[in-house]
């Protein structure tokens, strides 16, 4: 399924080293002002270059090829495409048959009878999140202007103190290793009542998209796993006024699957980057034996770093789809 | 959305104190042997009665009203219904306007303009999971016989030692309080390649259903949130043989969104039951002031207890929907 | 797929001689007044008894088993069920293997590996349209009150003069034969702009449902097939005022797939009832030879008669799903 | 909804005078050999140039920008794009507010609050069928090789004799007028049992797509509307052998919504081209009065001519989506 959404509907395509990454968005209202410049800020947040991110340099220039006329959405499907440019596919052909641990290489090969595009992970690549970020930008355009997103890495390599993140990244990099992290996205201003019982509660829609982001292995709302360690008297959020505000927000802004008007709080756990510089011993399908593997190519030390804006985009897309007009 | 699934498609209806809870399942192969007795075991696992569960006693007798002929599925939609019998709605009318903390009462009232069925939580009630368990039974019937499910409470009230669960439940009950818990479901025998990039990875499909279960606030696969605290060299699962078996299973049986042939491991965090016996201070919409609320009705001390089989049903349904025939 | 609709979503189940026919409707607004009596009029239009209809007598009493509270919809899925009572299944077992011409018997047997319910056509029976009519009643409740439906048999047995219909039915009945007919449904008052380019124009949504009605083999809008015989200068509908009214209405109220504010006109062609009293020579799978077949059971001389209200229900459901709120 | 299909899933975008027309296809098996040359034949059938077709000249070069690797499909979404080149938008700006009769101009303007792309009909243009034909080519690649499509104009301007078509087109063209036509598509070799009761019979899926083709106002299967004028004894198709072959084929290869192994026969009625050279009197929103309108731009005398391959593509796409693997 390359599509998501019932009202704000997206379809996504592309491969890491293919010609193009793209997304088409259907269900947009007409008359929303939009330009290619509007994507710059969020794409910059996702772009490589900072400490701990891949040295692959892509201009990531969005081109809007349908659904826009005279600077406004037309109500027809809006399509945004990105050309892939800085691809070094030769790095990847060397390891054919010697599947990288904790990568999709082996399962994709088996699932697609060997016809999958192996270059840079093909359709499984984190590069696809480029299209997700683009869709997130459009989602934020149609969400009520009162919504305020704040997204941050709240834990990196097991450490919750941002002052130490740089040090942790340096240490992992110098070891040819990688680290995981946790991204938290908070959204203020969501009206009461978004989400659908029984099968489409707000948590389900958001988590569905979060787990589509490569590397995410956990998702929680409000107190999340910590809630399982609380008593009801501690976890319950008493309502304090006619607007439904609660004294505490252990629920993370969602009760009964519906937003309750309080701040939405969601966290996504990213595993450490699977591609590491250190040699790994793993099975080679060609030689039929365990063999040391050294992964070349260009990789992030911590995918959560660039994942923050992707998480925010996923939340925005899910909200735009749930929004009650 | 009261429906879920692309191949194994379910639609669900009912309210806690309405006439009927039901589920219709479309996309079933014809010729699957099935009887009403087949539901007994899983329904018993969900049934109240044990320590820590509600004293509400429902016979929970399934009736198959369509899609079955001569003891086999016909290929037409299969419908299973349950009549509600032991309903004490008078407990619920007393608190109109005085919304229970961390319940759907207030959001449902606002979302549905006061027309929601308030008795026992209406359509938001955990009683709806009865239909989910029934669908899970059918899902397990069509999954390959090689699959083995094992589901357990791995943490209750913050404690990971099952020997102490009874004591924790007693303590909470005697305090008029409740506790949360974590359910882990493991499935062996899943073939490689189930799930769909980009928007329907196995994690997304399963998590989507898990978060539809009332009370679930977190979901994780394999090492989950702990993965975010590991380094890549520690977290990566080296492949050890031609079948794709891995030395470790931090991935929980899913890489790149596809099952990889190793054991599926998923955990769901249940918050503590929101309905507690202790008095709570919360806003009363009718009097427009904070007032003490005492919740009557019959409630579980820990919803995770009866939630275990619901989690297993959710996983089975998601797998049946992903299964590649 | 037993489900239809994106906003007004229905799922349907049942068999001709099973326990129950039912439909669940999701996506309904809360607060719509509804009672079981509201179904009486349209169910009566579909009920057998008049000249040319089957002598099977079913009370067709709707029971609303979910989604209704205190006389209003709750916003949760609304489920309406009908028990099957007057079933004479013994008529059908006699002909096992000797498939009725132009019935689903043979294809259902092959498709479902012999596990299909053969009694009265099972899930393929026209009896399922009972649930469609019920859904149509609910659809009309939520459509704007300004809409006016008028539905009629405009042709029966090739004759367009209603005064002669009774005579045609008598003649066919006395010959042990059946006749086809054409139903026209007109709807005034639909606002401009319902429908969706590119894959969900109003015609597609309506025709999709019409062809789901057993016996329908053709659908057309406005001038329909006659339009193919016109010149543009004759067929074009000039706009005459600011509201978009047109001088003629060859388009049948839809241009570019969107309603244009003029009267919706749609026609459905019903084939003659496949079950006829006359002996037919057809292949017997059991004896492996062509053999004369005499069909017992109780059948309509012309399914279009009872089909009229079904067509109207299909149009209403499609409109409710397309309605822009 | 710019998407169609449950298994062979397409999403389509573009405008007549926008940058790009495109389609992305998801659900394709991996390993299907495919090249851009494979599209040439069907695109040529759709291309303008013959008598009765628009003088707009587009190279219609398909570019496959994702989902193909080493000459084979990868199992990831396949995207085919076409650049628009020969656009003369200035013809269209002249008539702003003076909506063309029987075109989407007025409804699109009202539906999309004036933000629709008006150039050449924008997203409502027949040019979008280019993407449909491309998807049809891919659909035919994955359908069983035993299927044989034959598609023809069986009626043009009300005449069923192909020898006279040229004369009819000349006459209409010299009158500055247009004509309608009927396209018939026949497919031999479809196995028994494709289609789904109750809401997705083969007729519904095919008709849904046919009515998405601009200009189609009627669809019928087998005897279609003529069936409504037959008696059952005449219309019924007796089965003659174990394979389910029938002596006649009034059903057009579909009974009970499922294919029955006989030839599929479907017809689509195209209205005459709405754009005609002759002056038309119609309402001008700007001047608020009826005024003569002369349509410039380049148009087909009969859209059914180029519509034939589009109908075939629609049938192929619907079949690929229904195909039981």
């Amino acid at each position: 399924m390359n599509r998501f959404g019932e009202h704000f509907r997206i379809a996504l395509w592309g491969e890491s080293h293919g010609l193009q990454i793209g997304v088409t968005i259907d269900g947009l209202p007409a008359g929303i002002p939009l330009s290619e410049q509007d994507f710059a800020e969020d794409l910059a947040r996702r772009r490589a270059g900072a400490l701990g991110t891949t040295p692959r340099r892509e201009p990531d220039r969005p081109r809007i090829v349908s659904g826009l006329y005279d600077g406004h959405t037309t109500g027809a499907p809006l399509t945004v495409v990105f050309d892939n440019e800085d691809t070094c596919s030769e790095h990847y052909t060397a390891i054919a048959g010697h599947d990288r641990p904790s990568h999709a290489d082996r399962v994709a090969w088996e699932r697609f009878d060997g016809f999958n595009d192996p270059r840079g992970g093909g359709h499984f690549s984190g590069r696809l999140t480029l299209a997700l970020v683009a869709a997130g930008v459009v989602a934020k355009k149609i969400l009520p202007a009162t919504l305020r997103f704040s997204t941050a890495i709240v834990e990196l390599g097991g450490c919750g103190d941002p002052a130490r993140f740089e040090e942790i990244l340096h240490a992992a990099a110098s070891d040819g290793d990688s680290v995981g992290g946790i991204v938290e996205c908070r959204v203020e201003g969501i009206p009461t009542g978004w989400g659908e019982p029984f099968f489409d509660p707000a948590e389900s829609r958001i988590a569905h998209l979060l787990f589509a982001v490569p590397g995410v292995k956990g998702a929680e709302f409000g107190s999340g796993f910590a809630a399982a360690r609380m008593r009801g008297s501690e976890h319950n959020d008493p309502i304090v006024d006619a607007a439904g505000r609660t004294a505490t927000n252990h629920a993370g802004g969602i009760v009964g699957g519906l937003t309750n008007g309080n701040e939405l709080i969601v966290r996504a756990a990213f595993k450490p980057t699977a591609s590491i510089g250190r040699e790994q011993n793993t099975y080679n399908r060609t030689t039929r034996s365990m063999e040391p593997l050294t992964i070349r190519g260009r990789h992030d030390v911590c995918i959560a770093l660039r994942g923050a804006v992707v998480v925010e985009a996923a939340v925005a897309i899910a909200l735009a789809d749930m929004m009650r007009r």
Side-chain angles (χ1 to χ4, degrees), chain A:
Chain A
M1 280 301 196
N2 76 329
R3 55 195 194 186
F4 181 86
E6 303 294 325
H7 303 284
F8 182 87
R9 301 181 289 268
I10 60 180
L12 175 156
W13 64 90
E15 289 88 29
S16 181
H17 293 197
L19 289 176
Q20 198 180 84
I21 304 282
V23 62
T24 187
I25 307 170
D26 189 29
L28 276 182
I32 307 290
L34 188 73
S35 76
E36 290 164 355
Q37 285 69 48
D38 292 334
F39 295 87
E41 185 181 334
D42 277 3
L43 291 175
R45 292 168 64 192
R46 184 193 164 281
R47 190 161 299 133
L51 175 65
T53 64
T54 170
R56 176 171 172 177
R57 288 290 177 281
E58 286 282 4
D60 294 346
R61 267 187 295 266
R63 284 189 300 130
I64 302 176
V65 297
S66 77
L68 195 77
Y69 177 65
D70 210 7
H72 295 79
T73 59
T74 62
L78 183 98
T79 306
V80 186
V81 299
F82 298 87
D83 294 326
N84 286 327
E85 299 179 11
D86 181 22
T87 54
C88 296
S89 306
E90 65 277 14
H91 286 181
Y92 296 91
T93 51
I95 54 170
H98 203 178
D99 302 312
R100 298 169 297 171
S102 297
H103 265 286
D105 299 354
R106 198 196 168 282
V107 293
W109 169 80
E110 187 166 334
R111 162 73 182 269
F112 298 114
D113 302 323
F115 288 104
N116 62 300
D117 180 345
R119 301 167 300 165
H123 185 56
F124 293 84
S125 168
R127 181 147 175 79
L128 274 282
T129 60
L130 185 60
L132 211 62
V133 171
V137 168
V138 181
K140 284 187 248 179
K141 284 269 174 186
I142 68 163
L143 283 167
T146 50
L147 265 57
R148 286 173 303 286
F149 288 80
S150 61
T151 306
I153 317 263
V154 291
E155 219 186 286
L156 190 144
C159 167
D161 174 9
R164 294 195 43 220
F165 288 177
E166 194 167 337
E167 166 193 344
I168 291 166
L169 291 167
H170 270 300
S174 69
D175 291 349
D177 214 332
S178 64
V179 293
I182 297 176
V183 172
E184 183 177 86
C185 177
R186 291 169 173 258
V187 191
E188 276 190 43
I190 303 173
T192 297
W194 292 11
E196 298 288 330
F198 187 89
F199 286 124
D200 282 298
E203 294 105 325
S204 286
R205 300 298 290 174
I206 294 170
H208 189 130
L209 265 182
L210 289 178
F211 281 113
V213 177
V216 170
K217 297 298 281 185
E220 61 178 11
F221 296 83
S223 300
F225 276 86
R229 288 144 200 158
M230 294 180 185
R231 280 191 162 192
S233 58
E234 178 188 4
H235 181 269
N236 281 358
D237 299 315
I239 302 169
V240 298
D241 66 15
R245 256 181 290 260
T246 55
T248 51
N249 186 13
H250 294 110
I254 306 173
V255 281
L258 305 185
T259 56
N260 70 358
N262 291 277
E263 190 180 34
L264 173 73
I265 304 171
V266 54
R267 277 178 299 279
F270 282 86
K271 68 177 190 182
T273 317
S275 290
I276 56 177
R278 295 171 65 166
E279 189 180 277
Q280 301 176 81
N281 209 34
T282 196
Y283 190 79
N284 186 330
R285 279 184 280 116
T286 310
T287 62
R288 301 192 181 189
S289 62
M290 299 285 288
E291 286 178 5
L293 170 73
T294 303
I295 297 174
R296 286 190 187 76
R298 301 153 299 174
H299 306 287
D300 292 278
V301 173
C302 176
I303 50 175
L305 293 177
R306 298 167 67 199
V309 68
V310 180
V311 164
E312 182 174 305
V315 172
I317 293 166
L319 289 174
D321 192 40
M322 288 190 282
M323 178 170 53
R324 295 174 56 75
R325 293 162 196 179

